[in-house]
Amino acid sequence: MLSIKNLHASIDEKKILKGINLEIKPGEVHAIMGPNGSGKSTLASVLAGREDYEVTDGTVEFAGKDLLDLSPEERAGEGLFLAFQYPVEIPGLSTTNFIKTAVNEVRKYRGEEPLDAVAFLKLMKEKMAMVNIDQSLLSRSLNEGFSGGEKKRNEVFQMAMLQPKLAILDETDSGLDIDAIRIVANGVNKLRSKDNAVLVVTHYQRLLDYIVPDFVHVLYNGRIVKSGPKELALELEEKGYDFIKNEFKVEA
Amino acid sequence: MNNELSAIEKTVLSDYKYGFVTEIEADEAPPGLNEDTIRFISAKKNEPEWMLEWRLKAYNHWLKMQEPSWANIKYDAINYQDIKYYSAPKQKKKVNSLDEIDPELRKTFEKLGISLDEQKRLSGVAIDAVIDSVSIGTTFKEQLAELGIIFCSISEAIQEHPELVKKYIGSVVPITDNYFSALNSAVFSDGSFCYIPKGVRCPMELSTYFRINAEGTGQFERTLLIADEGSYVSYLEGCTAPIRDENQLHAAVVELIAMENAEIKYSTVQNWYPGDKDGVGGIYNFVTKRGICQGAHSKISWTQVETGSSITWKYPSVILKGDHSVGEFYSVAVTNNHQQADTGTKMMHLGKNTRSRIVSKGISAGVSNNSYRGLVHVGKNAANARNFSQCDSLLLGDKCGAHTFPYIEVKNNTAVVEHEATTSKIGEDQIFYCNQRGIDTETAVALIINGFAKEVMNQLPMEFAVEAQKLLAISLEGSVG
């Protein structure tokens, strides 16, 4: 589904990603872990198409298309979703109205008819129950005055509404207490299927207690330096990132 | 009248969809302004002597006045002798019903989305359509007359209801008030008149559509609206003009009078031609709008969505004379490309326990300048006056300007006056967030600005809110990304 080959990216001439290789197949959950400044969020942003970053080398294929050739909204239309680490606020724009626009823009991209009000409401009710989100939150302005937990739950709700092929969760656990993490993770787990995939970007292992990955990759200094089964995350938790740093400091 | 569009006109035509010219024969006054011009207009309209004298008095006062220069706008001097002060679509004979209106004129209004026929039958909106200098027809007249409501052109009111016009015209905006209102008083050629009798709640939206069509003309319309004791009316005006590479002057005066317990809601969707991307052409919009809450417990509410004109100079105001009266001003002003807007309000608290609320939302893009200028005045007898003002500015890009000039004069120490102001920019982050959800940048900007302006848009009558939202999006097309 997603095939990243030798991806290099920089911001303001500073090299951040220095040759990433990653293959994700439908139905899989991959976790990317790494110390601060290793390039985790940069990878998420580059995949979503943020313009601040310049891709200097490598290729990314997504669902049979050259991802790097598509605009951010086209990538969303193809089924790529990014749950933001810091979801933005848009005052005066109701969350429901925002999501309805998003759902129908994505449908338009796929050549589907827009959902009418009744069909949209039905879909919304169904997904609200699934991710345990309250109606009152959705009638408020997008993310305005939302708590950290509410913002992240809103991200997962949007993921449920858009039903992406690949969901990238960028530090979705940051700033959340353990109860909020559990609610968000439950939502994500309910959305997992054999046809879609999840890429979890996280600093801590604790989110992976709830969203259990098939593969764990350690990102350090712009490269994936170690990959393994879910137990690798526990090993990292136990030993800390220092053992990675020590092991790879020659290259760094 | 020229019938070929220039290359520039063609390229911008796609942006401003009301930029067409209707080919109709016009009955015009030659350019220039002197006493004879005024006599010509007055004679054309078969006006009584008192009206002519009033006009001449205004003209002679205007001659002694100076064009104001305090606003935050720049433009080449207007040559008042180059303007045609009267242009009327030529009608073969007096029109007795809407069915007899020139088909070309009817087509004009259909292109604007206002079918006079349809309006007459289907919708709940009564319309007075004014093209260049004259009103060409008013819908729903008979139905309104049954309730005692008078809704007609001001020319007609001068003929049919001279006692009302004589009593109220100039009572809120005197001929000596300012340069542009004095000019309007001298040469106004038409406009709308409305009287709501005691205790009547007007059952439909009343609406006037103003259209400048002829080349080289100025439009000077006069609107007079009186809501008698305990009555209610909601009024909407819309305006458009053809695309031309000259600047055309529009200097209107609107006067509102609310008696005891009466309420007037006055909404404007102003979409005069704003000029092209290089700032060539466009309407100079110098308008004086003022209402008086004459009686106790009366209320006047102004709502404006200003997207057009190359220059906007406009301060819809309320004189809160009656005790417990309420004044409101809700405004969204959008400027793009080279547009300049200096707009705001004046709330004059004179009576006791009067309240006012100001919500101004300015959106600037391109290399435009957008200024809010507002005065809150609390007189020495205005005990317990209360004002709340909120002025928010939104910037698109880094070459535009947003300015706020609040003036507060308080002469009674029981007053409570609050002012809040914010300035923000549409963030790359906000746009990227929308993009990531499949929403393209143009749509994202429309969502963000409509969210920003929502508090004001909510004040518009339902029928026009959707239209106004689209207008905001169109005005800012291409300004981001």
Side-chain angles (χ1 to χ4, degrees):
Chain A
M1 174 188 288
L2 180 76
S3 173
I4 304 175
K5 291 199 171 82
N6 191 34
L7 183 65
H8 285 68
S10 52
I11 185 165
D12 301 333
E13 313 273 297
K14 188 172 179 245
K15 288 179 183 151
I16 311 279
L17 301 182
K18 302 167 183 170
I20 302 274
N21 292 290
L22 185 65
E23 292 283 334
I24 298 180
K25 295 192 177 64
E28 293 178 350
V29 175
H30 288 243
I32 298 227
M33 300 186 71
N36 292 330
S38 57
K40 301 191 298 290
S41 283
T42 298
L43 177 61
S45 294
V46 168
L47 292 177
R50 199 186 267 274
E51 272 182 10
D52 307 349
Y53 298 94
E54 195 196 343
V55 173
T56 51
D57 202 4
T59 59
V60 181
E61 195 189 299
F62 177 65
K65 294 207 165 132
D66 178 359
L67 189 75
L68 301 177
D69 211 30
L70 303 176
S71 68
E73 58 269 28
E74 288 168 336
R75 297 179 196 200
E78 291 292 336
L80 185 138
F81 180 91
L82 172 65
F84 285 69
Q85 182 176 4
Y86 304 109
V88 304
E89 300 181 0
I90 301 183
L93 171 62
S94 87
T95 305
T96 305
N97 189 6
F98 172 74
I99 296 176
K100 186 167 186 226
T101 308
V103 167
N104 283 332
E105 287 294 309
V106 165
R107 291 181 69 90
K108 190 163 86 186
Y109 178 83
R110 294 174 188 163
E112 296 163 2
E113 288 292 309
L115 291 182
D116 61 27
V118 178
F120 177 77
L121 219 63
K122 188 166 165 276
L123 180 71
M124 205 166 87
K125 286 260 148 64
E126 181 193 316
K127 303 296 180 185
M128 273 164 61
M130 195 182 243
V131 302
N132 197 7
I133 194 166
D134 199 56
Q135 173 76 57
S136 65
L137 205 63
L138 301 178
S139 46
R140 282 162 58 186
S141 290
L142 183 66
N143 291 322
E144 197 185 32
F146 284 25
S147 71
E150 286 169 338
K151 281 184 182 169
K152 296 298 168 72
R153 218 181 299 173
N154 187 17
E155 293 293 289
V156 176
F157 177 65
Q158 291 177 41
M159 173 181 161
M161 291 296 288
L162 291 165
Q163 297 165 296
K165 289 192 193 110
L166 174 68
I168 304 168
L169 311 183
D170 186 11
E171 307 265 6
T172 297
D173 53 331
S174 71
L176 299 193
D177 62 28
I178 201 75
D179 292 329
I181 288 180
R182 198 179 293 137
I183 291 168
V184 165
N186 280 342
V188 173
N189 286 331
K190 283 184 198 159
L191 298 171
R192 287 175 64 176
S193 80
K194 64 176 180 21
D195 301 317
N196 62 33
V198 182
L199 179 62
V200 185
V201 174
T202 181
H203 185 82
Y204 298 106
Q205 186 271 337
R206 58 181 189 174
L207 180 62
L208 305 179
D209 285 342
Y210 302 100
I211 305 174
V212 180
D214 301 299
F215 302 95
V216 175
H217 311 278
V218 181
L219 190 64
Y220 180 63
N221 196 23
R223 286 189 191 89
I224 289 175
V225 295
K226 208 175 175 86
S227 295
K230 62 174 186 278
E231 288 76 17
L232 177 59
L234 293 168
E235 191 187 343
L236 279 172
E237 178 84 355
E238 199 181 308
K239 297 184 181 167
Y241 285 114
D242 281 347
F243 98 97
I244 296 286
K245 289 181 186 168
N246 292 334
E247 202 170 321
F248 293 96
K249 78 177 160 205
V250 186
E251 290 178 50
Chain B
M1 225 178 274
N2 73 342
N3 31 14
E4 281 298 307
L5 291 172
S6 74
I8 302 168
E9 284 171 333
K10 276 177 191 157
T11 51
V12 286
L13 202 60
S14 55
D15 294 337
Y16 186 77
K17 69 170 182 169
Y18 305 104
F20 56 85
V21 177
T22 309
E23 283 309 316
I24 32 176
E25 264 194 279
D27 190 358
E28 293 178 336
L33 180 57
N34 52 46
E35 286 206 2
D36 289 342
T37 321
I38 293 160
R39 287 178 197 281
F40 172 86
I41 294 169
S42 190
K44 272 280 171 198
K45 304 202 142 302
N46 200 19
E47 285 178 352
E49 191 59 28
W50 62 266
M51 197 71 245
L52 175 62
E53 278 167 24
W54 193 80
R55 286 174 180 277
L56 290 172
K57 215 170 123 190
Y59 173 68
N60 284 308
H61 191 84
W62 177 76
L63 286 176
K64 293 179 218 136
M65 296 174 98
Q66 290 285 321
E67 199 169 322
S69 59
W70 43 262
N72 187 24
I73 50 179
K74 288 189 192 75
Y75 56 96
D76 293 336
I78 300 168
N79 184 342
Y80 292 90
Q81 297 306 330
D82 272 357
I83 297 171
K84 279 180 264 183
Y85 288 86
Y86 184 84
S87 172
K90 217 176 237 173
Q91 298 268 10
K92 289 195 177 63
K93 58 179 169 41
K94 194 177 181 319
V95 189
N96 292 315
S97 81
L98 288 174
D99 304 328
E100 293 172 32
I101 287 170
D102 186 332
E104 279 297 316
L105 272 181
R106 295 163 76 108
K107 271 187 229 154
T108 302
F109 281 90
E110 267 152 39
K111 274 190 223 168
L112 294 170
I114 315 152
S115 158
L116 294 172
D117 281 341
E118 289 296 303
Q119 290 293 350
K120 205 169 62 168
R121 277 194 290 271
L122 299 173
S123 82
V125 181
I127 286 188
D128 183 26
V130 176
I131 191 155
D132 290 337
S133 305
V134 295
S135 166
I136 61 154
T138 309
T139 61
F140 275 112
K141 236 167 146 172
E142 293 83 10
Q143 289 91 323
L144 291 167
E146 283 169 23
L147 294 163
I149 296 171
I150 305 166
F151 180 43
C152 61
S153 70
I154 193 123
S155 309
E156 210 175 323
I158 292 167
Q159 304 295 331
E160 309 286 328
H161 310 281
E163 70 297 342
L164 284 172
V165 177
K166 205 170 171 180
K167 183 171 175 189
Y168 291 109
I169 196 166
S171 70
V172 190
V173 180
I175 49 176
T176 52
D177 190 79
N178 70 69
Y179 189 79
F180 296 106
S181 68
L183 178 63
N184 173 284
S185 302
V187 301
F188 79 87
S189 42
D190 220 330
S192 295
F193 176 83
C194 176
Y195 172 79
I196 316 288
K198 280 182 192 173
V200 172
R201 209 183 149 81
C202 186
M204 58 185 84
E205 304 283 341
L206 299 185
S207 173
T208 302
Y209 267 84
F210 295 108
R211 172 83 183 159
I212 296 176
N213 190 58
E215 199 172 9
T217 54
Q219 179 147 323
F220 307 91
E221 80 271 353
R222 187 107 195 171
T223 300
L224 182 56
L225 200 162
I226 304 136
D228 216 329
E229 289 170 24
S231 67
Y232 168 83
V233 62
S234 171
Y235 195 95
L236 185 120
E237 59 171 23
C239 6
T240 56
I243 289 168
R244 298 192 188 284
D245 54 13
E246 60 172 359
N247 294 108
Q248 283 179 286
L249 177 64
H250 173 250
V253 173
V254 176
E255 295 177 281
L256 311 181
I257 297 122
M259 301 303 194
E260 195 173 320
N261 286 311
E263 181 178 347
I264 301 172
K265 190 175 162 59
Y266 197 104
S267 315
T268 303
V269 176
Q270 188 263 105
N271 186 24
W272 295 120
Y273 177 53
D276 70 7
K277 286 186 172 58
D278 302 314
V280 176
I283 304 294
Y284 287 171
N285 193 31
F286 293 91
V287 173
T288 306
K289 289 183 168 182
R290 194 175 302 155
I292 182 163
C293 285
Q294 185 74 43
H297 298 279
S298 54
K299 179 176 176 182
I300 291 177
S301 181
W302 297 101
T303 304
Q304 59 172 23
V305 176
E306 304 279 312
T307 61
S309 297
S310 75
I311 290 176
T312 301
W313 180 98
K314 180 180 170 187
Y315 316 90
S317 307
V318 184
I319 301 167
L320 297 149
K321 190 176 170 204
D323 292 347
H324 302 277
S325 59
V326 176
E328 292 177 334
F329 174 73
Y330 294 94
S331 167
V332 177
V334 179
T335 53
N336 195 1
N337 300 320
H338 290 262
Q339 280 177 277
Q340 305 175 69
D342 193 301
T343 183
T345 184
K346 283 192 276 187
M347 292 291 173
M348 312 293 286
H349 292 258
L350 304 179
K352 293 180 178 59
N353 301 307
T354 48
R355 283 181 291 141
S356 64
R357 183 179 173 82
I358 299 169
V359 177
S360 162
K361 305 272 182 178
I363 302 167
S364 334
V367 290
S368 68
N369 260 308
N370 201 327
S371 304
Y372 166 81
R373 187 182 303 277
L375 168 67
V376 176
H377 170 90
V378 178
K380 65 178 192 301
N381 297 322
N384 303 314
R386 181 95 178 75
N387 161 267
F388 174 75
S389 303
Q390 187 185 334
C391 304
D392 298 326
S393 306
L394 186 68
L395 301 170
L396 283 79
D398 51 12
K399 294 186 183 68
C400 52
H403 316 269
T404 304
F405 304 98
Y407 304 84
I408 297 171
E409 295 170 5
V410 178
K411 293 182 175 146
N412 182 306
N413 60 12
T414 60
V416 180
V417 177
E418 283 177 78
H419 182 95
E420 286 179 10
T422 65
T423 302
S424 50
K425 263 184 94 164
I426 288 195
E428 296 284 320
D429 283 356
Q430 286 174 319
I431 291 181
F432 180 67
Y433 189 83
C434 294
N435 289 161
Q436 209 301 306
R437 296 300 185 252
I439 301 167
D440 65 37
T441 301
E442 300 258 292
T443 311
V445 171
L447 287 176
I448 295 166
I449 59 160
N450 278 310
F452 174 75
K454 189 162 101 179
E455 217 180 324
V456 175
M457 300 305 241
N458 283 347
Q459 299 294 327
L460 285 177
M462 265 296 265
E463 296 89 327
F464 302 102
V466 177
E467 197 186 336
Q469 278 196 9
K470 283 187 199 146
L471 196 56
L472 281 192
I474 291 167
S475 307
L476 291 167
E477 241 165 45
S479 56
V480 168

